[in-house]
Each structure stands twice: as structure tokens, then as C-alpha cells.
Amino acid sequence: MSNDIAQKAGRVPAVGSGGAAIVLLIARRELAGYFSSISGYIILAAHLLVTGLLFNVYAVGNNPRYSQEVLEAFFFFSSGVTMITAIVLSVRLIAEEKQLKTLVLLRTSPITERQLIWGKFLSAFAFFALTLLLSIYMPALISLNGKVSFSQIMAGYLGLLLLGGACISISLTASVWSNTQLIAGVVAGLLVTLLLVSWMLAKVTEEPLKTLFYYTALHNMHFRTFARGILNLRDVVYYLSLILLFLEISISSLGAWRWRG
Amino acid sequence: MIQLLNLTKYYGTGKALQDLSFSVAPGEIVGLVGKNGAGKSTALKIISCQLLPSEGDVRVDGLSVVESPLEVRHLIGYLPEQPPLYPEMTVTAYLDFTARLRGLTASQAQNRREIVMGETGLSDVCDERLGNLSRGYQQRVGIAQAIIHQPRVVLLDEPMAGLDPFQIVQIRELIRSLRNRHTVLFSSHILAEITNVCDRVVLIDRGALKAQGTEGDLHETLAGQQRLFLQVRGGENKLKAVLDKLPETRFSDLESRNGEVVQVHITARGDVREILSRACHEAGLGVMELRTEKHGLEDLFMELLGKAEVA
């Protein structure tokens, strides 16, 4: 009731007004942070270097192979680097703000936890997408020497984007939970590893856990289809659910700080 | 403008604030003074909606920090003890960002940024990176971000901490210039450091309100008061009757042993030892001990002043 009166009296703007603008404002500032520090360029360069090496050594190799197989191998090896890059990019998102003591600026501004988390996520995701975009020359090289399916390239990159997005979301949660980037990195690494090996747990458990562990396997059960150029709605839903789940956990964890102090 | 209503905050089992109540009128500059760990920062964190109180509430311009935190944040500008600065950003970019964060449009942010940089003396360093600025300039940027959206309430947590004497004078002037345009509540653990800046001082210790008023009021309060410890033989009721008859006297912590020996702490205006001793004798009470005690507030006050002398 008092809020309505205050808003009608023009003392404060309506809450939620300009929500998307705030998300983009936070994302832009964070994105600029990647480009204004050396670490952003190092991560980008390291990603391209390692992906390039794996492409030459393992995907292309010395034996003649079909272009489709080379491309599949490229996406398979890229996916490992992608997960590491996504984690390294996003562990700083909240933990660094804590270390610099700048989080207080965001927490005392009239923005919601949701706007903050989405802004942070989008910035890391945009930088990550740029990193992936710069690797497009590798599929282009395959197409020079063979026949490449455009749909396989699109499906493969969509898979990398979704896998990376899920890892960013998980790392963001780890960053909310941790006070330093190092601890956030360890926590994120553990969470991602747990999801990576959950298919192994499925082999030693009974139903219904067996099905659950198979379904939650981050890479084995959901990424390989993308690499082969198959777009499976079930896999898209899995990655989007994972992204949203961890974003919601981050939002709730941030909100809980007001209670804990 | 700001009302703290029976504010209590627990950290685990420890009590950071105990039933703290005071208010700040519109346009007033109030200093929240207390020793390190007294609860100043906790109180400011609750007012700025970073923390929820365990009990009680804070109302800012009538809005509750518990029920309407986002609306309250629109009304508040906050400078924590360490200015929240992104070292890679320039002063201009940072102030634009903070203005937009508080809901200003791009053109409004630009206008306000120019005005605030002029007011805080930042125009000369507008293109400098925040990480390259001196501590004094960083503090100015911190104050600039706190006032860029023209908030009704400005909260400053230890704004003079870590500054050299010259910088303290400058920041003091800056805070003084906020008078009438903003309601200002700022904390310090050094009483003398904030002299001449505040309209009023609120003294807290161990999370509880000890005294409030102008610095002169506090000195006067202390100068005229005497605290006594009295132990008598003869019964609680008789002692209460004696104390009730004494003018301008308060008593606390009355304890009775076996219903016969009674002890009490007395706060009186002026020296009442002779009158008290005679009144006890006339009432048939045997005075076993009567001595002056140091005032708790006096200890706190002297400690706060003492720190200033050292600083």
C-alpha cells in the first residue's frame, strides 16, 4: 500500500520498469571488462590455440577421412575445451565483485537479483559466443578440402553454445557461492565433473536413479548428437533446463544474502 | 526521513544491534558514532537494504526496508567504507554506469555526471582510470556515485577512514555541502573528526543507543551527571521510598540480598551524596557503602575523543 502511494507521489519509479535495460547495462559493463583486461584476451587466445591444435592433431589427423567424420571429431574435441573456457570465463562474475568489494554497489542499487544474474550471464555468454565464432575458420578449412553439411555445422555450434551456456550457468552459481575466483573455479569444476560422469553412476544404480543419472549426463547423453549434425529437441530442452535451473539457484542464493549478512 | 524502529540484528548467536531506535529529520546531517564493532556498519547496511533486520524495521520516507527494499534503494545513495570502484573504468564511464543503474536515462546521466564531477572536484581526473586515483580522489568518486541520482538520503560509512588530515578536511567540506539537499547519515569511530559537520550525533555502543544530541548537548549531559553505587542494610522498600523522594534521580539494577542488604546504581543531576546519606539515616537504613562510579557513556565519549587526539 505504502509503495503505491510513494509511486503515485512520484517519489520512486515503479519497480520492474526498464528491467531489460538494466540487464543489458550490467551485461555491457561486464563485457567491456573482458576486453579491457588482459585475461579476456588470454582466455580467447588459449581457447583458439588449444582447439586449433586438437583440430590438427586429432580431428584432421594423418589418415584420410570423410569430411563429416572430421567435423564430428572437431566438435567432439571442441566441446572439452568449450567446457573449460566457459568455466574460466564465468568464475569471476560474482566472486571478483566480492574480492573488489564492488558488489555492494549493485546490492544497494534499485535492481533485482534476477536482473543482476541475467546481466552477468549474458555478458559471459556473449564473450563465449564470440570465442566460438572465431573458431569457425576450422570448419571452413574442412569445406575447402571436402563436402561439409551446413546443417551439421549449425547443429554442432548450437550444441557448443548450449553446452557452454550450461557450464557458464553452473560456474555463475559457483561464483555466487564462493568468495574467491579460485574457490569458485574448484566448485564449478566439481559440479561439471559430477554431471559429466553421472552416466557412470547410472551403470551401478537401479531405477529410477539409473534413468535420472543417464538423463543428467552433461556430455555423453546429450552432446554427441549435435556433433553428428542431429538436432534433438530432448537435448535442447535438457541444456536450456540446466541453464535456467542454475540461474534460478544463483538468484535465490544472492537473495538469501540479505538474511545471512 | 529515516526512522529506526527497535532494530535488532543477530549474527548467529551474537547480537550486533539491540533494540536500536532513532530518527533523522529531512535535510539533517547526523553522525553515527561508536567504537569499532559498535554496530554502525550493520545499521547502515540494514538502512541501505543489504541486510534484513532480525527484529524491528527501518522506514525511509515512510517506506519499509523489509517490505519495499527496491523502492527504498531509489531513495538512497550509499558509500561503503571502501568505495565500490571498478579499477579498469574511467571516472566518467563509472559515474555514467552508476547513474544508469539508478534509473537515469543516458542524457540525464550525462547531465548529472557533469554537475556531480564539478561538485566533488573530479573534473580534472575525469578520464583517469579509477585504479590509478589517489585514496582521496577515490573517496570523492565514491561520494559522487552516492549522490549522482539526487537521492533523498545519503548514507556514508566511515567516509574519512584511511584519509590524511588534508583529505579529511576536503571530505568534511564535501559532506557539509550536501546539507539541505540531502538527508545525510554517516558513521565514524572518531567523534572529533565529524565535529562541525553534523547537526546531531547519535552515540551507539555494543549495538545499543547510548545518547544523542548535538556535541554540546552530550558534553552538558555528562558534565551535570553523577553516578553512584549505594549499599544499605534495612530493606528494599525503605530504600525505594528514599530514592523516590530525591529530586532528578534515577536508579537501576536494584539487588536485594536476604531481603536485608540492598544495593543499587543511582544516576543523579549534581552531587547528592550528602543528601542521600542523610535521607538513608533518617529512614533507618544503615549505609554500608556509598561511592561515585564512572559513567558508561563518559568512558565511551572519552575513548572516542581520545582516539581523535591520537589521530
Side-chain angles (χ1 to χ4, degrees), chain A residues 130-215:
Chain A
L130 174 74
T131 310
L132 284 188
L133 188 69
L134 292 176
S135 72
I136 201 109
Y137 75 93
M138 285 175 255
L141 281 176
I142 301 171
S143 70
L144 285 177
N145 298 304
K147 198 177 173 187
V148 173
S149 154
F150 182 70
S151 60
Q152 190 184 358
I153 295 176
M154 291 303 288
Y157 271 105
L158 178 65
L160 289 178
L161 275 175
L162 288 169
L163 178 66
C167 290
I168 289 170
S169 186
I170 292 167
S171 300
L172 180 52
T173 301
S175 191
V176 171
W177 288 347
S178 314
N179 286 326
T180 67
Q181 295 181 60
L182 185 66
I183 295 172
V186 172
V187 173
L190 284 173
L191 286 171
V192 169
T193 306
L194 200 66
L195 286 171
L196 276 175
V197 301
S198 72
W199 63 274
M200 291 185 194
L201 291 172
K203 286 188 182 295
V204 293
T205 47
E206 300 296 323
E207 294 292 352
L209 285 177
K210 192 181 188 73
T211 309
L212 179 75
F213 284 137
Y214 265 125
Y215 184 72

Coordinates of all heavy atoms in Angstrom, one line a residue, chain A residues 130-215:
Chain A
L130 N 31.5 -15.2 -29.0 CA 32.5 -14.6 -29.8 C 33.7 -15.5 -30.0 O 34.2 -15.7 -31.1 CB 32.9 -13.3 -29.2 CG 34.1 -12.6 -30.0 CD1 33.6 -12.0 -31.3 CD2 34.7 -11.5 -29.1
T131 N 34.1 -16.1 -28.9 CA 35.2 -17.1 -28.9 C 34.9 -18.2 -29.9 O 35.7 -18.6 -30.7 CB 35.4 -17.7 -27.5 OG1 35.5 -16.6 -26.6 CG2 36.7 -18.5 -27.4
L132 N 33.6 -18.7 -29.8 CA 33.3 -19.8 -30.7 C 33.2 -19.4 -32.2 O 33.7 -20.1 -33.1 CB 31.9 -20.4 -30.4 CG 31.7 -21.2 -29.1 CD1 30.3 -21.8 -29.1 CD2 32.7 -22.4 -29.2
L133 N 32.8 -18.1 -32.4 CA 32.7 -17.6 -33.7 C 34.0 -17.5 -34.4 O 34.2 -17.8 -35.6 CB 32.0 -16.2 -33.6 CG 31.7 -15.5 -35.0 CD1 30.5 -16.2 -35.6 CD2 31.3 -14.1 -34.8
L134 N 35.0 -17.2 -33.6 CA 36.4 -17.1 -34.1 C 37.0 -18.4 -34.5 O 38.0 -18.5 -35.2 CB 37.3 -16.3 -33.1 CG 37.0 -14.9 -32.9 CD1 37.9 -14.3 -31.8 CD2 37.1 -14.1 -34.2
S135 N 36.3 -19.5 -34.1 CA 36.9 -20.8 -34.4 C 36.2 -21.4 -35.7 O 36.5 -22.5 -36.1 CB 36.6 -21.8 -33.3 OG 35.2 -22.1 -33.2
I136 N 35.4 -20.5 -36.3 CA 34.6 -21.0 -37.5 C 35.5 -21.3 -38.7 O 35.2 -22.0 -39.6 CB 33.5 -20.0 -37.8 CG1 32.4 -20.6 -38.7 CG2 34.0 -18.8 -38.6 CD1 31.1 -20.8 -38.0
Y137 N 36.8 -20.7 -38.6 CA 37.7 -21.0 -39.8 C 38.0 -22.5 -39.9 O 38.4 -22.9 -41.0 CB 38.9 -20.1 -39.6 CG 39.9 -20.6 -38.6 CD1 41.0 -21.5 -38.9 CD2 39.8 -20.3 -37.2 CE1 41.9 -21.9 -38.0 CE2 40.7 -20.7 -36.3 CZ 41.7 -21.6 -36.7 OH 42.6 -22.0 -35.7
M138 N 37.9 -23.2 -38.8 CA 38.3 -24.6 -38.9 C 37.3 -25.5 -39.7 O 37.7 -26.1 -40.6 CB 38.5 -25.2 -37.4 CG 39.8 -24.7 -36.8 SD 40.1 -25.2 -35.2 CE 39.7 -23.6 -34.3
P139 N 36.0 -25.3 -39.4 CA 35.0 -26.0 -40.3 C 35.2 -25.5 -41.8 O 35.0 -26.2 -42.7 CB 33.7 -25.6 -39.7 CG 33.9 -25.3 -38.3 CD 35.3 -24.7 -38.3
A140 N 35.5 -24.2 -41.9 CA 35.7 -23.6 -43.2 C 36.8 -24.3 -44.0 O 36.8 -24.5 -45.2 CB 35.9 -22.1 -43.1
L141 N 37.9 -24.6 -43.2 CA 39.0 -25.3 -43.8 C 38.6 -26.7 -44.3 O 39.1 -27.2 -45.4 CB 40.2 -25.4 -42.8 CG 41.0 -24.2 -42.6 CD1 42.0 -24.4 -41.4 CD2 41.8 -23.8 -43.9
I142 N 37.8 -27.4 -43.5 CA 37.3 -28.7 -43.9 C 36.5 -28.6 -45.2 O 36.7 -29.4 -46.1 CB 36.4 -29.3 -42.8 CG1 37.2 -29.4 -41.5 CG2 35.9 -30.7 -43.3 CD1 36.3 -29.8 -40.3
S143 N 35.7 -27.5 -45.3 CA 34.9 -27.4 -46.5 C 35.7 -27.1 -47.8 O 35.3 -27.4 -48.9 CB 33.8 -26.3 -46.3 OG 34.5 -25.0 -46.3
L144 N 36.9 -26.6 -47.6 CA 37.8 -26.3 -48.7 C 38.3 -27.6 -49.3 O 38.6 -27.7 -50.5 CB 39.0 -25.5 -48.3 CG 38.8 -24.0 -48.0 CD1 40.0 -23.3 -47.5 CD2 38.3 -23.3 -49.3
N145 N 38.5 -28.6 -48.5 CA 39.0 -29.9 -48.9 C 38.0 -31.0 -49.0 O 38.3 -32.2 -49.3 CB 40.1 -30.4 -48.0 CG 41.3 -29.4 -47.9 OD1 41.9 -29.1 -49.0 ND2 41.6 -28.9 -46.7
G146 N 36.8 -30.7 -48.8 CA 35.7 -31.7 -48.9 C 34.3 -31.2 -48.8 O 34.2 -29.9 -48.9
K147 N 33.4 -32.0 -48.8 CA 32.0 -31.6 -48.8 C 31.5 -31.6 -47.3 O 31.5 -32.6 -46.6 CB 31.1 -32.5 -49.6 CG 29.8 -32.0 -50.0 CD 29.1 -32.9 -50.9 CE 27.7 -32.5 -51.2 NZ 26.9 -33.5 -51.9
V148 N 31.0 -30.4 -46.9 CA 30.6 -30.2 -45.5 C 29.1 -29.9 -45.5 O 28.7 -29.0 -46.2 CB 31.4 -29.2 -44.8 CG1 30.8 -28.9 -43.4 CG2 32.9 -29.6 -44.7
S149 N 28.4 -30.5 -44.6 CA 27.0 -30.2 -44.5 C 26.8 -28.9 -43.6 O 27.3 -28.9 -42.5 CB 26.2 -31.4 -43.8 OG 25.1 -30.9 -43.2
F150 N 26.1 -28.0 -44.1 CA 25.9 -26.7 -43.4 C 25.1 -27.0 -42.1 O 25.3 -26.4 -41.1 CB 25.1 -25.7 -44.3 CG 24.9 -24.4 -43.6 CD1 25.9 -23.5 -43.4 CD2 23.6 -24.0 -43.3 CE1 25.7 -22.3 -42.8 CE2 23.4 -22.8 -42.7 CZ 24.4 -21.9 -42.4
S151 N 24.1 -27.9 -42.2 CA 23.3 -28.2 -41.1 C 24.1 -28.9 -39.9 O 23.8 -28.6 -38.8 CB 22.1 -29.1 -41.5 OG 22.6 -30.3 -42.0
Q152 N 25.1 -29.6 -40.3 CA 26.0 -30.3 -39.3 C 26.8 -29.2 -38.6 O 26.9 -29.2 -37.3 CB 26.9 -31.3 -39.9 CG 27.6 -32.1 -38.8 CD 28.7 -33.1 -39.4 OE1 28.8 -33.2 -40.6 NE2 29.4 -33.8 -38.5
I153 N 27.2 -28.2 -39.3 CA 28.0 -27.1 -38.7 C 27.1 -26.3 -37.7 O 27.4 -26.0 -36.6 CB 28.6 -26.1 -39.8 CG1 29.6 -26.8 -40.6 CG2 29.2 -24.9 -39.1 CD1 30.2 -26.0 -41.8
M154 N 25.9 -26.0 -38.2 CA 24.9 -25.3 -37.4 C 24.6 -26.0 -36.1 O 24.6 -25.5 -35.0 CB 23.6 -24.9 -38.2 CG 23.8 -24.0 -39.3 SD 24.5 -22.4 -38.7 CE 23.1 -21.7 -37.9
A155 N 24.3 -27.3 -36.3 CA 23.9 -28.2 -35.1 C 25.1 -28.3 -34.2 O 24.9 -28.2 -32.9 CB 23.5 -29.5 -35.6
G156 N 26.3 -28.4 -34.7 CA 27.4 -28.6 -33.9 C 27.7 -27.3 -33.0 O 27.9 -27.4 -31.8
Y157 N 27.6 -26.2 -33.7 CA 27.8 -24.9 -33.0 C 26.7 -24.6 -32.0 O 26.9 -24.1 -30.9 CB 28.0 -23.7 -34.0 CG 29.5 -23.6 -34.3 CD1 29.9 -23.9 -35.6 CD2 30.4 -23.0 -33.4 CE1 31.3 -23.8 -35.9 CE2 31.7 -22.9 -33.7 CZ 32.2 -23.3 -35.0 OH 33.5 -23.2 -35.3
L158 N 25.5 -25.0 -32.4 CA 24.3 -24.8 -31.4 C 24.6 -25.7 -30.2 O 24.4 -25.2 -29.0 CB 23.0 -25.3 -32.0 CG 21.8 -25.2 -31.1 CD1 21.5 -23.7 -30.7 CD2 20.6 -25.8 -31.8
G159 N 25.1 -26.9 -30.4 CA 25.5 -27.8 -29.2 C 26.5 -27.2 -28.4 O 26.4 -27.2 -27.2
L160 N 27.6 -26.6 -29.0 CA 28.7 -26.0 -28.3 C 28.1 -24.8 -27.5 O 28.5 -24.6 -26.3 CB 29.8 -25.5 -29.2 CG 30.7 -26.6 -29.8 CD1 31.7 -26.0 -30.8 CD2 31.4 -27.4 -28.8
L161 N 27.2 -24.0 -28.1 CA 26.7 -22.9 -27.4 C 25.9 -23.3 -26.2 O 26.0 -22.7 -25.1 CB 25.8 -22.1 -28.4 CG 26.4 -21.0 -29.3 CD1 25.4 -20.5 -30.2 CD2 27.1 -19.9 -28.5
L162 N 25.1 -24.3 -26.4 CA 24.2 -24.8 -25.2 C 25.1 -25.4 -24.1 O 24.8 -25.2 -23.0 CB 23.2 -25.8 -25.8 CG 22.1 -25.2 -26.6 CD1 21.2 -26.3 -27.3 CD2 21.1 -24.4 -25.8
L163 N 26.1 -26.2 -24.5 CA 26.9 -26.8 -23.5 C 27.7 -25.8 -22.8 O 27.8 -25.8 -21.5 CB 27.9 -27.8 -24.3 CG 29.0 -28.5 -23.4 CD1 28.3 -29.5 -22.5 CD2 30.0 -29.2 -24.3
G164 N 28.2 -24.8 -23.5 CA 28.9 -23.7 -22.9 C 28.0 -22.9 -22.0 O 28.4 -22.5 -20.9
G165 N 26.8 -22.6 -22.5 CA 25.8 -21.9 -21.7 C 25.5 -22.6 -20.4 O 25.5 -21.9 -19.3
A166 N 25.4 -23.9 -20.4 CA 25.2 -24.7 -19.2 C 26.4 -24.5 -18.2 O 26.2 -24.3 -17.0 CB 24.9 -26.1 -19.5
C167 N 27.6 -24.6 -18.8 CA 28.8 -24.5 -17.9 C 28.9 -23.1 -17.3 O 29.3 -22.9 -16.2 CB 30.0 -24.9 -18.7 SG 30.1 -26.6 -19.1
I168 N 28.5 -22.1 -18.1 CA 28.6 -20.7 -17.6 C 27.6 -20.6 -16.5 O 27.9 -20.0 -15.4 CB 28.2 -19.7 -18.7 CG1 29.4 -19.6 -19.7 CG2 27.9 -18.3 -18.2 CD1 29.1 -18.9 -21.0
S169 N 26.4 -21.1 -16.7 CA 25.3 -21.0 -15.6 C 25.8 -21.7 -14.3 O 25.6 -21.2 -13.2 CB 24.1 -21.6 -16.2 OG 23.0 -21.4 -15.3
I170 N 26.4 -22.9 -14.5 CA 26.9 -23.6 -13.3 C 28.0 -22.8 -12.6 O 28.0 -22.7 -11.4 CB 27.4 -25.0 -13.7 CG1 26.2 -25.9 -14.2 CG2 28.2 -25.7 -12.6 CD1 26.6 -27.2 -14.9
S171 N 28.9 -22.3 -13.4 CA 30.1 -21.5 -12.9 C 29.6 -20.3 -12.2 O 30.1 -19.8 -11.2 CB 31.0 -21.1 -13.9 OG 31.6 -22.3 -14.5
L172 N 28.5 -19.7 -12.7 CA 28.0 -18.5 -12.1 C 27.4 -18.8 -10.7 O 27.7 -18.0 -9.8 CB 26.9 -17.9 -13.0 CG 26.1 -16.6 -12.6 CD1 27.1 -15.5 -12.3 CD2 25.2 -16.2 -13.7
T173 N 26.8 -19.9 -10.6 CA 26.3 -20.3 -9.3 C 27.5 -20.5 -8.3 O 27.4 -20.1 -7.2 CB 25.5 -21.6 -9.4 OG1 24.4 -21.4 -10.3 CG2 25.0 -22.1 -8.1
A174 N 28.5 -21.2 -8.8 CA 29.7 -21.4 -8.0 C 30.3 -20.1 -7.6 O 30.8 -19.9 -6.5 CB 30.7 -22.2 -8.8
S175 N 30.3 -19.1 -8.5 CA 30.8 -17.8 -8.2 C 30.0 -17.0 -7.2 O 30.5 -16.3 -6.4 CB 30.8 -17.0 -9.6 OG 31.5 -15.8 -9.4
V176 N 28.7 -17.3 -7.2 CA 27.8 -16.7 -6.1 C 28.1 -17.3 -4.8 O 28.2 -16.6 -3.8 CB 26.3 -16.9 -6.5 CG1 25.4 -16.5 -5.3 CG2 25.9 -16.1 -7.7
W177 N 28.4 -18.6 -4.8 CA 28.7 -19.3 -3.5 C 30.0 -19.0 -2.9 O 30.3 -19.3 -1.8 CB 28.5 -20.8 -3.8 CG 27.1 -21.3 -4.0 CD1 26.0 -20.6 -3.7 CD2 26.7 -22.6 -4.5 NE1 24.9 -21.4 -4.1 CE2 25.3 -22.6 -4.5 CE3 27.4 -23.7 -4.9 CZ2 24.6 -23.7 -5.0 CZ3 26.7 -24.8 -5.4 CH2 25.3 -24.8 -5.4
S178 N 31.0 -18.6 -3.8 CA 32.4 -18.5 -3.3 C 32.9 -17.1 -3.2 O 32.4 -16.2 -3.8 CB 33.3 -19.2 -4.3 OG 32.7 -20.5 -4.7
N179 N 33.9 -16.9 -2.3 CA 34.4 -15.6 -2.1 C 35.6 -15.3 -2.9 O 36.0 -14.1 -3.1 CB 34.8 -15.5 -0.6 CG 33.6 -15.3 0.3 OD1 32.6 -14.7 -0.1 ND2 33.7 -15.9 1.5
T180 N 36.2 -16.3 -3.5 CA 37.4 -16.1 -4.4 C 37.1 -16.8 -5.7 O 36.4 -17.8 -5.8 CB 38.7 -16.5 -3.8 OG1 38.7 -18.0 -3.7 CG2 38.9 -15.9 -2.5
Q181 N 37.8 -16.3 -6.8 CA 37.6 -16.9 -8.1 C 38.2 -18.4 -8.1 O 37.7 -19.2 -8.8 CB 38.4 -16.1 -9.1 CG 37.7 -14.7 -9.3 CD 38.4 -13.9 -10.4 OE1 38.5 -14.3 -11.5 NE2 39.0 -12.8 -10.0
L182 N 39.3 -18.6 -7.3 CA 39.9 -19.9 -7.2 C 38.9 -20.9 -6.7 O 38.7 -22.0 -7.3 CB 41.2 -19.8 -6.4 CG 42.0 -21.1 -6.3 CD1 42.6 -21.4 -7.7 CD2 43.1 -21.0 -5.3
I183 N 38.3 -20.6 -5.6 CA 37.3 -21.5 -5.0 C 36.1 -21.7 -5.9 O 35.7 -22.8 -6.1 CB 36.9 -20.9 -3.6 CG1 38.0 -20.9 -2.6 CG2 35.7 -21.8 -3.0 CD1 37.7 -20.2 -1.3
A184 N 35.7 -20.6 -6.5 CA 34.6 -20.7 -7.5 C 35.0 -21.7 -8.6 O 34.1 -22.5 -9.0 CB 34.2 -19.4 -8.1
G185 N 36.2 -21.6 -9.1 CA 36.7 -22.5 -10.1 C 36.6 -23.9 -9.7 O 36.2 -24.8 -10.5
V186 N 37.1 -24.2 -8.5 CA 37.1 -25.6 -8.0 C 35.7 -26.1 -7.8 O 35.4 -27.2 -8.3 CB 37.8 -25.6 -6.6 CG1 37.7 -27.0 -6.0 CG2 39.3 -25.3 -6.8
V187 N 34.8 -25.3 -7.3 CA 33.4 -25.7 -7.1 C 32.7 -26.0 -8.4 O 32.1 -27.0 -8.6 CB 32.6 -24.6 -6.3 CG1 31.1 -25.0 -6.2 CG2 33.1 -24.5 -4.9
A188 N 33.0 -25.0 -9.4 CA 32.4 -25.2 -10.7 C 32.9 -26.5 -11.4 O 32.2 -27.3 -12.0 CB 32.7 -24.0 -11.6
G189 N 34.2 -26.7 -11.2 CA 34.9 -27.9 -11.8 C 34.2 -29.2 -11.3 O 34.0 -30.1 -12.0
L190 N 34.0 -29.2 -10.0 CA 33.4 -30.3 -9.3 C 32.0 -30.6 -9.8 O 31.6 -31.7 -10.1 CB 33.4 -30.2 -7.8 CG 34.7 -30.3 -7.1 CD1 34.6 -30.0 -5.6 CD2 35.2 -31.8 -7.2
L191 N 31.2 -29.5 -9.9 CA 29.8 -29.7 -10.4 C 29.8 -30.2 -11.8 O 29.0 -31.1 -12.1 CB 29.1 -28.3 -10.3 CG 28.7 -27.8 -8.9 CD1 28.2 -26.4 -8.9 CD2 27.6 -28.7 -8.2
V192 N 30.6 -29.6 -12.7 CA 30.6 -30.0 -14.1 C 31.1 -31.5 -14.2 O 30.5 -32.3 -14.9 CB 31.5 -29.1 -14.9 CG1 31.7 -29.6 -16.3 CG2 30.8 -27.7 -15.0
T193 N 32.1 -31.8 -13.4 CA 32.6 -33.2 -13.5 C 31.6 -34.2 -13.0 O 31.4 -35.2 -13.6 CB 33.9 -33.3 -12.6 OG1 34.8 -32.3 -13.0 CG2 34.5 -34.7 -12.7
L194 N 30.8 -33.8 -12.0 CA 29.8 -34.6 -11.4 C 28.7 -34.9 -12.5 O 28.3 -36.1 -12.7 CB 29.1 -34.0 -10.2 CG 28.3 -34.9 -9.3 CD1 29.2 -35.8 -8.6 CD2 27.6 -34.0 -8.3
L195 N 28.4 -33.9 -13.3 CA 27.4 -34.0 -14.3 C 28.0 -34.8 -15.5 O 27.3 -35.5 -16.2 CB 26.9 -32.7 -14.8 CG 25.9 -32.0 -13.9 CD1 25.7 -30.5 -14.3 CD2 24.6 -32.7 -13.8
L196 N 29.3 -34.7 -15.7 CA 29.9 -35.4 -16.8 C 30.0 -36.9 -16.6 O 29.8 -37.7 -17.5 CB 31.4 -34.9 -17.0 CG 31.6 -33.6 -17.8 CD1 33.1 -33.2 -17.8 CD2 31.2 -33.8 -19.2
V197 N 30.2 -37.3 -15.3 CA 30.3 -38.7 -15.1 C 29.1 -39.4 -14.5 O 29.1 -40.5 -14.1 CB 31.5 -39.0 -14.1 CG1 32.8 -38.5 -14.6 CG2 31.2 -38.4 -12.7
S198 N 28.0 -38.6 -14.6 CA 26.7 -39.2 -14.0 C 26.3 -40.4 -14.7 O 25.6 -41.3 -14.2 CB 25.6 -38.1 -13.9 OG 25.1 -37.9 -15.2
W199 N 26.7 -40.5 -16.0 CA 26.3 -41.8 -16.8 C 27.0 -43.0 -16.2 O 26.5 -44.1 -16.3 CB 26.6 -41.6 -18.3 CG 28.1 -41.4 -18.6 CD1 28.8 -40.3 -18.6 CD2 29.0 -42.4 -18.9 NE1 30.1 -40.5 -18.9 CE2 30.3 -41.8 -19.1 CE3 29.0 -43.8 -19.0 CZ2 31.4 -42.5 -19.4 CZ3 30.1 -44.5 -19.4 CH2 31.3 -43.9 -19.5
M200 N 28.2 -42.8 -15.6 CA 28.9 -43.9 -14.9 C 28.1 -44.4 -13.7 O 28.0 -45.5 -13.4 CB 30.3 -43.5 -14.5 CG 31.2 -43.2 -15.6 SD 32.8 -42.9 -15.0 CE 33.6 -42.2 -16.4
L201 N 27.5 -43.4 -13.0 CA 26.7 -43.7 -11.8 C 25.5 -44.5 -12.2 O 25.0 -45.4 -11.5 CB 26.3 -42.4 -11.1 CG 27.4 -41.6 -10.4 CD1 26.9 -40.3 -9.9 CD2 27.9 -42.4 -9.2
A202 N 25.0 -44.1 -13.4 CA 23.8 -44.9 -13.9 C 24.1 -46.4 -14.1 O 23.2 -47.2 -13.9 CB 23.4 -44.2 -15.2
K203 N 25.3 -46.7 -14.4 CA 25.7 -48.1 -14.6 C 25.7 -48.9 -13.3 O 25.6 -50.1 -13.4 CB 27.1 -48.2 -15.3 CG 27.1 -47.8 -16.8 CD 28.4 -48.0 -17.4 CE 28.5 -47.6 -18.8 NZ 27.5 -48.3 -19.7
V204 N 25.8 -48.3 -12.2 CA 25.9 -49.0 -11.0 C 24.7 -48.8 -10.1 O 24.7 -49.1 -8.9 CB 27.2 -48.7 -10.2 CG1 28.4 -49.2 -10.9 CG2 27.3 -47.2 -9.9
T205 N 23.6 -48.1 -10.6 CA 22.4 -47.9 -9.8 C 21.2 -48.5 -10.4 O 21.2 -48.8 -11.6 CB 22.2 -46.3 -9.6 OG1 22.3 -45.7 -10.9 CG2 23.2 -45.7 -8.6
E206 N 20.2 -48.6 -9.6 CA 18.9 -49.2 -10.1 C 17.9 -48.1 -10.4 O 18.2 -46.9 -10.1 CB 18.3 -50.0 -8.9 CG 19.1 -51.2 -8.4 CD 19.4 -52.2 -9.5 OE1 18.4 -52.5 -10.3 OE2 20.5 -52.8 -9.6
E207 N 16.9 -48.4 -11.1 CA 15.8 -47.5 -11.4 C 15.2 -47.0 -10.1 O 15.1 -47.7 -9.1 CB 14.7 -48.2 -12.3 CG 15.2 -48.6 -13.6 CD 15.5 -47.4 -14.6 OE1 15.2 -46.2 -14.2 OE2 16.1 -47.7 -15.6
P208 N 14.7 -45.8 -10.0 CA 14.6 -44.7 -11.1 C 15.9 -43.9 -11.2 O 16.0 -43.1 -12.1 CB 13.5 -43.9 -10.6 CG 13.5 -43.9 -9.1 CD 14.0 -45.3 -8.8
L209 N 16.9 -44.1 -10.3 CA 18.1 -43.3 -10.3 C 18.9 -43.6 -11.6 O 19.5 -42.6 -12.1 CB 19.0 -43.7 -9.1 CG 18.6 -43.2 -7.7 CD1 19.5 -43.6 -6.6 CD2 18.5 -41.6 -7.7
K210 N 18.8 -44.8 -12.1 CA 19.5 -45.1 -13.3 C 19.1 -44.2 -14.5 O 20.0 -43.6 -15.1 CB 19.2 -46.6 -13.7 CG 20.1 -47.2 -14.8 CD 19.5 -48.6 -15.0 CE 20.5 -49.4 -15.9 NZ 21.7 -49.8 -15.3
T211 N 17.8 -44.0 -14.7 CA 17.3 -43.2 -15.7 C 17.7 -41.7 -15.5 O 18.1 -41.0 -16.4 CB 15.8 -43.3 -15.8 OG1 15.4 -44.6 -15.9 CG2 15.2 -42.5 -17.0
L212 N 17.6 -41.3 -14.2 CA 17.9 -39.9 -13.8 C 19.4 -39.6 -14.1 O 19.7 -38.6 -14.8 CB 17.6 -39.7 -12.3 CG 17.9 -38.3 -11.8 CD1 16.9 -37.3 -12.3 CD2 18.0 -38.3 -10.3
F213 N 20.3 -40.5 -13.7 CA 21.7 -40.3 -14.0 C 22.0 -40.3 -15.4 O 22.9 -39.5 -15.9 CB 22.5 -41.3 -13.2 CG 22.6 -41.0 -11.7 CD1 22.5 -42.1 -10.8 CD2 22.8 -39.8 -11.2 CE1 22.6 -41.8 -9.4 CE2 22.9 -39.5 -9.9 CZ 22.8 -40.5 -9.0
Y214 N 21.4 -41.2 -16.2 CA 21.6 -41.2 -17.6 C 21.2 -39.8 -18.2 O 21.9 -39.2 -19.1 CB 20.9 -42.3 -18.3 CG 21.7 -43.5 -18.5 CD1 21.3 -44.8 -18.0 CD2 22.9 -43.5 -19.2 CE1 22.1 -45.9 -18.2 CE2 23.7 -44.6 -19.4 CZ 23.3 -45.8 -18.8 OH 24.0 -46.9 -19.0
Y215 N 20.0 -39.4 -17.8 CA 19.4 -38.2 -18.4 C 20.3 -36.9 -18.0 O 20.4 -36.0 -18.8 CB 18.0 -37.9 -17.9 CG 17.4 -36.7 -18.6 CD1 17.0 -36.8 -19.9 CD2 17.2 -35.5 -17.9 CE1 16.5 -35.6 -20.6 CE2 16.6 -34.4 -18.5 CZ 16.3 -34.5 -19.8 OH 15.8 -33.4 -20.5

